[in-house]
Amino acid sequence: FKEMSRASVDLEDPLGEDSHMPVPGLVHRYPDRVLFLVTTSCAMYCRFCTRRRIVLNKEHRTERELENVFAYLREHKEVRDVIISGGDALFIGDKFLETCLAGFRAIPSIEIIRIASRVPVVCPMRIDEKLVTMIRKYAPVYLMTHFNHPYELTDEAKKACAMFVDHGIPMMNQTVLLRKINSDPVILRVLFHELLKNRVKPYYLYQCDLSEGIEHFRTPVQKGIEIIESLRGHTSGLAVPEFVIDAPGGGGKVPVMPQ
């Protein structure tokens, strides 16, 4: 019932992605990097998803749309970093994923490619030797994944992470702060330590976005600050992500730190 309700601060498109989309599927909010939404499908549908407005559309970008994306990036040489996301970037087939990777790597101004996926968490059997070997050909490629709780680090998930890292694909993790799920410094400390043991760097801790119907997941901003304060100086800096608020309307990620 709560997820059918809309709070006064809720927004359909909280990050202003649709208004920063020069060609279908390509979000250009930051000067030197873009987000490519290759699909609106996922291996699972997270209840706190920031793209709730589109993830049930089950649409995949066509090759014509992909060519339009390549053409835009060839014209905009200031873009050096492409993030392939969705939906879930690893929910498309290997062939189309390789078409994306090869096309981006062929653009001289593109230095870094990132793949954003929750598949290592929720569908780790998707990760196999064929997939990671193919991705490795287009290095440097980073895998941005999304563990929210230590319970998600199953044996299968750990094997999937190891396969990426063993093939020279660095992994970074982005955690969403969720009320009464992981909004506890002990839970998150365990998560971040376990991620590091599996060679996954805790990268961001996100304040839960203003998407419609997820107010009950959001914590006060102060809670995130307290969690970072409990980590800084009490554990390795490697285990401390940056706590950020993705500003509504496309304002970008705003770091929030303890005094």
Side-chain angles (χ1 to χ4, degrees):
F1 174 76
K2 289 181 179 178
E3 291 175 34
M4 298 297 291
S5 302
R6 177 172 177 168
S8 60
V9 297
D10 286 357
L11 300 168
E12 183 181 15
D13 179 16
L15 306 185
E17 292 176 336
D18 293 344
S19 61
H20 290 84
M21 197 174 288
V23 296
L26 192 74
V27 180
H28 193 174
R29 287 196 300 158
Y30 297 99
D32 72 335
R33 52 206 181 277
V34 294
L35 176 71
F36 177 46
L37 305 179
V38 67
T39 180
T40 60
S41 294
C42 294
M44 71 166 288
Y45 294 97
C46 303
R47 293 165 62 196
F48 51 86
C49 182
T50 193
R51 300 193 183 107
R52 293 162 67 88
R53 70 192 186 282
I54 64 170
V55 292
L56 293 179
N57 294 347
K58 293 183 168 32
E59 295 175 347
H60 298 278
R61 296 297 164 195
T62 64
E63 291 199 12
R64 180 182 292 273
E65 289 175 318
L66 188 56
E67 284 301 325
N68 291 336
V69 167
F70 294 155
Y72 178 88
L73 293 175
R74 283 192 289 267
E75 291 178 9
H76 290 264
K77 295 180 174 58
E78 72 273 17
V79 177
R80 49 171 290 279
D81 186 350
V82 174
I83 302 140
I84 308 173
S85 187
D88 196 304
L90 293 184
F91 202 60
I92 60 174
D94 290 5
K95 183 178 179 181
F96 193 70
L97 178 60
E98 183 161 20
T99 300
C100 297
L101 292 170
F104 292 133
R105 185 52 68 215
I107 300 171
S109 53
I110 302 300
E111 300 171 4
I112 302 295
I113 300 173
R114 290 187 265 175
I115 296 173
S117 176
R118 194 153 150 77
V119 159
V121 186
V122 301
C123 191
M125 63 288 295
R126 164 76 173 97
I127 314 303
D128 56 21
E129 185 76 20
K130 178 185 174 186
L131 174 67
V132 295
T133 300
M134 180 273 287
I135 293 174
R136 178 68 181 85
K137 291 192 300 182
Y138 302 98
V141 179
Y142 287 75
L143 199 290
M144 318 302 292
T145 194
H146 183 171
F147 288 89
N148 285 325
H149 196 282
Y151 288 169
E152 293 181 321
L153 273 161
T154 62
D155 290 342
E156 292 80 5
K158 292 175 182 179
K159 289 176 185 176
C161 293
M163 194 168 291
F164 278 115
V165 180
D166 288 345
H167 282 75
I169 302 165
M171 290 190 70
M172 315 280 277
N173 188 75
Q174 303 180 107
T175 294
V176 176
L177 185 59
L178 300 168
R179 188 169 72 92
K180 295 186 177 180
I181 295 173
N182 64 7
S183 56
D184 181 277
V186 174
I187 291 174
L188 287 180
R189 186 182 299 116
V190 171
L191 171 63
F192 300 150
H193 286 178
E194 288 298 313
L195 286 169
L196 283 179
K197 285 163 60 178
N198 287 279
R199 295 174 289 172
V200 180
K201 171 69 176 78
Y203 179 46
Y204 280 138
L205 175 64
Y206 278 104
Q207 175 71 8
C208 198
D209 286 330
L210 299 179
S211 297
E212 293 178 320
I214 63 171
E215 184 182 33
H216 55 294
F217 284 128
R218 290 195 284 268
T219 66
V221 172
Q222 184 61 32
K223 174 57 68 174
I225 294 173
E226 290 171 3
I227 288 170
I228 297 299
E229 196 166 30
S230 75
L231 295 171
R232 289 177 64 187
H234 299 277
T235 188
S236 163
L238 281 172
V240 183
E242 189 169 38
F243 178 47
V244 295
I245 299 172
D246 219 332
K253 298 177 184 66
V254 179
V256 183
M257 300 297 289
Q259 294 295 326

